[in-house]
Amino acid sequence: MTTTAPSPAPTASAAELVRRLRRTFAGGHTRNLAWRREQLTRLRALVTECEAELSAALAADLGKPALEAFVTELAFVRVEIDTALSHLDAWTAPRSVRVPWKQKPGRARIVPEPLGVVLVIAPWNYPVQLLLAPMVAAIAAGNCVVAKPSEVSAHTSAVLARLIPQYLDPDAIAVVEGGVAETTTLLGERFDHILFTGNGNVGRIVMAAAAKHLTPVTLELGGKCPVIVDRDADIDVAARRVAWGKYLNAGQTCIAPDYALVHADVEERFITGLVRSIREFYGDDPAASPDYSRIVNGAHHRRLLGLLPAGDPDAGTVVVGGTGDEHDWYFAPTVVRDVSPDAPVMQEEIFGPILPVLPVASLQDAIDFVNGRDKPLALYVFSGDDAAVEQVVAHTSSGGVCVNHVVVHFMNEDISFGGVGGSGMGGYHGQAGFETFSHLKGVVGRTVKPDPKVAYPPYSAFKRAILRRYL
Ligand code: NAD
């Protein structure tokens, strides 16, 4: 994929759309807290009243079970909205800050202000949540929003494009559907912030396009999220939780455990636990389980088949799964062992239900393995030893860490969610999202008197001595 910045001639419609939203923003009513509250309340109504429609679209795109659609998409957005509504007054209030004695008498404060017209570009794997949750933050901060759902999850995109204008202020919030061409055209416009969620190659394109307008970006990217299982971890719990986080949405989750580094002494028990959990969750035939999602399309299904060992001993041995059905894009929950770090499955983000398990001789070996690769979006460590956990936290870098569980740190509204290095930049959720879409403007006010002349030229020896002594 090219990393060259697109430089399209923006189409009249994209240019006109952004101009229209700019006029709305300049009119000032999106700054009004009553407007923000009303939009957030209406968005909450959309998510609540249209649950059946959204759930059906998610089932059509990803075979997403209704309960998973509720928990990981709709309820998640509702929590973001409720958090924003209950903290809006506090988040938007000017924050008094200390005044250094040299600037007294006076006062200093930080005033959050909206940025203007922002662009949110979403991917297909959680196509409701990853479009609407950034929108919650952008609206709470008082911005106008252009929302671009993923064309890959076409049913959900169509439903959102129809519902959003019915519920939200169309003068301030617009949906643009489409794929590369439409996104490229949008990226030719000047926005005041872009929040992009997707893969790193497109992230580079977005950032290069944004650079032309000096537009700040938040990049929510992916990568390989490791699990470290220490010797004294509760292995049954570790296996069950890793299996849950891995096979949720058929592995198409940016913070899904990508591979497991397991202390060699407990590898056998861990793999047995994974196999048992898969059977407990999805039965003997996961293809028949109503609780197991499908791969989003044929291209991803073929890509995943290509990551299986296919007779190459270095690429590992399939313990369970390893089969797919191209007719309905079913891909079995799969565990692979004896995987070489050079195997294809270890070269790219898997983003599907294949879990490679690699034995390690020590915790330090696991840390070295992680540090030899791109910084992950999430890192998981299972251990009964607090010192071991702290060793991992202190000596690795990742977007976030979850101890003795997977994925759930994403749902803590008080934690900014985002990557570091190759897994992204910036963050959102809760107040962090509000601040991503705000400018925190410093305002310092001084009294007119006194007005000592010591800081003004000409700089006499006396003034120099005073300033050098006290500043
Ligand atoms: P995708 O193909 O839906 O692309 C994301 C968005 O980029 C879409 O809206 C698409 O239209 C647009 N796009 C695609 N190609 C483009 C191009 N050449 N120019 C301009 N726009 C373009 O989604 P994807 O990239 O396959 O998503 C999967 C990736 O996203 C994985 O790497 C996953 O880890 C990551 N992800 C990250 C998070 C997070 O929160 N950090 C969440 C979900 C997914």
Side-chain angles (χ1 to χ4, degrees):
M1 189 167 288
T2 174
T3 56
T4 312
S7 48
T11 64
S13 57
E16 176 46 35
L17 170 66
V18 175
R19 256 200 308 277
R20 184 163 64 76
L21 297 193
R22 283 209 178 285
R23 276 197 299 275
T24 302
F25 184 72
H29 73 271
T30 68
R31 292 173 182 263
N32 195 324
L33 292 199
W35 179 87
R36 304 187 204 188
R37 269 198 201 91
E38 187 191 356
Q39 297 307 308
L40 292 172
T41 307
R42 288 191 194 177
L43 188 55
R44 195 181 198 289
L46 183 162
V47 170
T48 307
E49 291 165 10
C50 307
E51 178 178 342
E53 245 179 299
L54 289 165
S55 195
L58 290 164
D61 285 327
L62 289 148
K64 200 170 279 214
L67 187 70
E68 277 186 23
F70 175 75
V71 172
T72 65
E73 306 245 26
L74 308 180
F76 183 90
V77 173
R78 272 214 312 243
V79 170
E80 278 284 316
I81 293 171
D82 292 345
T83 305
L85 282 171
S86 57
H87 293 94
L88 200 60
D89 287 334
W91 291 350
T92 51
R95 305 163 198 179
S96 284
V97 293
R98 195 183 63 85
V99 180
W101 69 264
K102 294 161 255 181
Q103 294 184 7
K104 286 182 179 168
R107 53 193 283 255
R109 68 213 143 104
I110 290 171
V111 180
E113 64 177 20
L115 297 172
V117 179
V118 304
L119 174 63
V120 173
I121 304 176
W124 49 264
N125 59 332
Y126 290 86
V128 174
Q129 185 219 120
L130 295 172
L131 191 77
L132 299 190
M135 284 175 65
V136 171
I139 293 168
N143 296 283
C144 292
V145 187
V146 177
K148 218 300 285 173
S150 174
E151 74 284 13
V152 177
S153 43
H155 295 89
T156 312
S157 174
V159 170
L160 288 169
R162 183 165 47 76
L163 294 176
I164 287 174
Q166 286 173 18
Y167 279 82
L168 302 185
D169 178 356
D171 290 332
I173 297 157
V175 181
V176 174
E177 283 196 274
V180 175
E182 290 76 7
T183 317
T184 304
T185 304
L186 276 176
L187 288 171
E189 294 300 319
R190 182 175 72 77
F191 289 93
D192 297 294
H193 193 92
I194 300 175
L195 187 147
F196 167 81
T197 307
N199 72 72
N201 288 326
V202 180
R204 287 175 174 84
I205 293 174
V206 169
M207 194 168 175
K212 292 193 173 165
H213 300 291
L214 287 182
T215 297
V217 292
T218 301
L219 299 180
E220 298 283 342
L221 309 178
K224 292 179 86 63
C225 301
V227 181
I228 297 174
V229 183
D230 199 12
R231 185 169 28 190
D232 62 1
D234 184 321
I235 302 302
D236 290 343
V237 169
R240 188 177 312 119
R241 292 182 175 182
V242 169
W244 167 75
K246 179 70 189 184
Y247 303 116
L248 181 77
N249 206 29
Q252 301 162 112
T253 303
C254 56
I255 46 173
D258 189 274
Y259 62 94
L261 300 169
V262 184
H263 195 287
D265 290 356
V266 293
E267 185 193 13
E268 208 57 55
R269 273 182 54 210
F270 181 71
I271 290 176
T272 305
L274 288 173
V275 174
R276 185 175 54 241
S277 300
I278 291 170
R279 192 170 310 115
E280 282 171 6
F281 294 168
Y282 307 115
D284 288 332
D285 178 15
S289 166
D291 299 324
Y292 188 64
S293 297
R294 293 298 182 263
I295 303 306
V296 72
N297 60 28
H300 278 285
H301 196 269
R302 283 189 293 282
R303 179 183 64 77
L304 288 166
L305 284 172
L307 296 179
L308 290 173
D312 171 6
D314 277 351
T317 312
V318 172
V319 178
V320 64
T323 54
D325 179 348
E326 294 200 28
H327 297 298
D328 75 343
W329 299 330
Y330 165 75
F331 199 103
T334 299
V335 176
V336 186
R337 68 185 305 177
D338 310 322
V339 180
S340 149
D342 301 323
V345 77
M346 292 304 294
Q347 306 314 307
E348 61 179 77
E349 179 182 359
I350 297 169
F351 219 53
I354 305 172
L355 181 70
V357 177
L358 289 82
V360 286
S362 68
L363 193 66
Q364 189 57 48
D365 281 359
I367 291 172
D368 292 344
F369 191 97
V370 170
N371 289 339
R373 285 158 179 77
D374 275 351
K375 293 181 180 181
L377 183 58
L379 184 149
Y380 304 117
V381 51
F382 287 84
S383 177
D385 177 1
D386 290 347
V389 168
E390 287 317 310
Q391 192 185 342
V392 172
V393 172
H395 296 287
T396 58
S397 179
S398 58
V401 175
C402 196
V403 178
N404 288 324
H405 213 319
V406 298
V407 175
V408 294
H409 63 300
F410 183 85
M411 297 167 194
N412 185 329
E413 291 296 303
D414 290 334
I415 292 180
S416 173
F417 176 74
V420 56
S423 55
M425 62 184 70
Y428 71 118
H429 289 184
Q431 186 168 1
F434 171 83
E435 293 187 357
T436 284
F437 287 105
S438 299
H439 170 56
L440 300 182
K441 184 164 70 180
V443 179
V444 170
R446 297 288 300 270
T447 55
V448 174
K449 289 194 165 71
D451 190 27
K453 303 290 182 286
V454 67
Y456 299 134
Y459 302 122
S460 64
F462 172 72
K463 288 179 180 177
R464 282 202 301 273
I466 294 280
L467 291 174
R468 286 188 167 279
R469 172 79 178 81
Y470 291 108
L471 292 185

